[in-house]
Amino acid sequence: MSNFVCRSPVCDANDFRSAFATDARQSVSTAFLGIWRAFAVVFFSLCALVQNAISIPFVRRDRRLDARGAWLHGWCRFACRVLGIRIRTHGVMPSSGLLVSNHLSYLDIVVLSSIRPCVFVAKRDVARWPLFGWLAAAAGTIFVDRERKFSSPKVVNGIRDAIAGGSVVVLFPEGTSSDGSTVLPFKSALLESAVQLRSPIAAASIEYALDDGSVAEEVCYWRDMTLVPHLLNLLCKREIGANYSFSPAKVRDGNRKEIARELRDEIVSIRS
């Protein structure tokens, strides 16, 4: 017996309605997911900021940076669960010294801090971001004013003190984020503290994956993108894959410019 396939206008209309209903359900589900995540991130971020303001002043001054890093670590682990970020690591993230990474998105900070407590070096613009700027400042982030070529002595001293205190300091020496298609040239000035201390330096590479959508346009935060629309779109993604690869930490020979080139080559090699 042959199968009968309906080609009538009635069948086409039923198929269209069924497809439309499925798309509508998916759209509503995605919208609710984004709304729930936005509420959870904002509410618990405000709770975390209150906790930080109450608890950190009672921590001994020489332990406050560690306490701030541990506080951010807890918040970022929560944020990764809420945002559906699934993290895979290759190699071991160092527990102290300097960690140099390529830079694709504000999510890099969330992912790295969820793996291990650390201190970040970020451009001063981040301090003015709503919510994220407050979290960054509360976490003890070292802010760099890239408009003033060497507002760096103070920053270099801050990095040196953090490394000497046993923290792992994360630096994004590209100076800005990109779409991930290449690794931009590294700026070397902020490597000076690690060179002076003869501190171990590790290289790291971050890559993202999406089942639906473009990583370059929807996860990477670069070009002239605007934070709030980008974040709202990101909140609606069901799952984001984050892969971080680490090279072994070691003391590097040479001046800071030579070390910057060596680290960039290492990250390019990890990615290839």
Side-chain angles (χ1 to χ4, degrees):
M1 174 187 281
S2 62
N3 292 328
F4 175 74
V5 180
C6 177
R7 297 294 184 190
S8 72
V10 173
C11 288
D12 290 343
N14 287 339
D15 290 344
F16 175 78
R17 281 194 294 269
S18 176
F20 180 79
T22 300
D23 289 344
R25 283 194 298 270
Q26 289 176 344
S27 296
V28 170
S29 173
T30 299
F32 273 115
L33 176 66
I35 292 167
W36 178 82
R37 283 176 170 172
F39 171 80
V41 168
V42 172
F43 178 77
F44 286 104
S45 295
L46 294 175
C47 291
L49 286 167
V50 171
Q51 176 203 15
N52 181 288
I54 293 171
S55 62
I56 295 298
F58 293 98
V59 177
R60 212 174 63 199
R61 188 173 294 275
D62 62 336
R63 303 303 303 164
R64 284 184 186 174
L65 197 58
D66 287 342
R68 290 180 187 277
W71 169 82
L72 184 65
H73 172 66
W75 183 89
C76 288
R77 284 173 61 87
F78 161 79
C80 284
R81 288 195 296 270
V82 169
L83 298 176
I85 300 174
R86 303 290 176 255
I87 302 170
R88 295 177 59 194
T89 61
H90 307 274
V92 179
M93 183 175 173
S95 58
S96 62
L98 189 67
L99 177 65
V100 169
S101 174
N102 66 319
H103 192 23
L104 304 181
S105 172
Y106 46 82
L107 284 186
D108 302 349
I109 293 170
V110 177
V111 172
L112 267 175
S113 189
S114 74
I115 299 170
R116 186 187 294 278
C118 43
V119 177
F120 292 92
V121 181
K123 58 186 179 182
R124 186 160 295 280
D125 295 354
V126 172
R128 295 193 289 268
W129 288 6
L131 191 63
F132 286 107
W134 306 340
L135 291 164
T141 298
I142 300 168
F143 292 109
V144 182
D145 187 349
R146 299 190 187 278
E147 297 299 316
R148 302 163 67 180
K149 188 162 184 180
F150 289 96
S151 75
S152 303
K154 181 179 178 182
V155 174
V156 168
N157 290 338
I159 295 172
R160 186 173 60 239
D161 291 347
I163 293 174
S167 298
V168 54
V169 177
V170 178
L171 179 63
F172 301 109
E174 290 169 290
T176 187
S177 49
S178 72
D179 66 347
S181 61
T182 186
V183 179
L184 302 174
F186 280 6
K187 298 176 177 16
S188 65
L190 297 181
L191 295 172
E192 183 61 30
S193 51
V195 173
Q196 291 174 5
L197 287 173
R198 296 284 294 165
S199 168
I201 307 175
S205 170
I206 180 73
E207 293 181 286
Y208 293 101
L210 275 180
D211 287 336
D212 58 327
S214 164
V215 168
E217 297 299 327
E218 298 181 88
V219 179
C220 296
Y221 186 72
W222 61 298
R223 231 169 27 205
D224 55 353
M225 291 178 175
T226 306
L227 177 63
V228 174
H230 186 274
L231 178 59
L232 290 175
N233 179 66
L234 201 65
L235 290 172
C236 294
K237 296 297 177 185
R238 296 212 166 265
E239 186 171 298
I240 301 169
N243 299 305
Y244 236 121
S245 300
F246 302 97
S247 73
K250 60 183 180 181
V251 175
R252 313 276 173 160
D253 295 321
N255 60 45
R256 71 188 192 208
K257 291 189 177 180
E258 292 168 341
I259 292 172
R261 287 193 292 269
E262 176 187 329
L263 288 165
R264 182 183 179 277
D265 291 344
E266 211 164 291
I267 292 173
V268 170
S269 176
I270 292 171
R271 288 164 52 84
S272 60

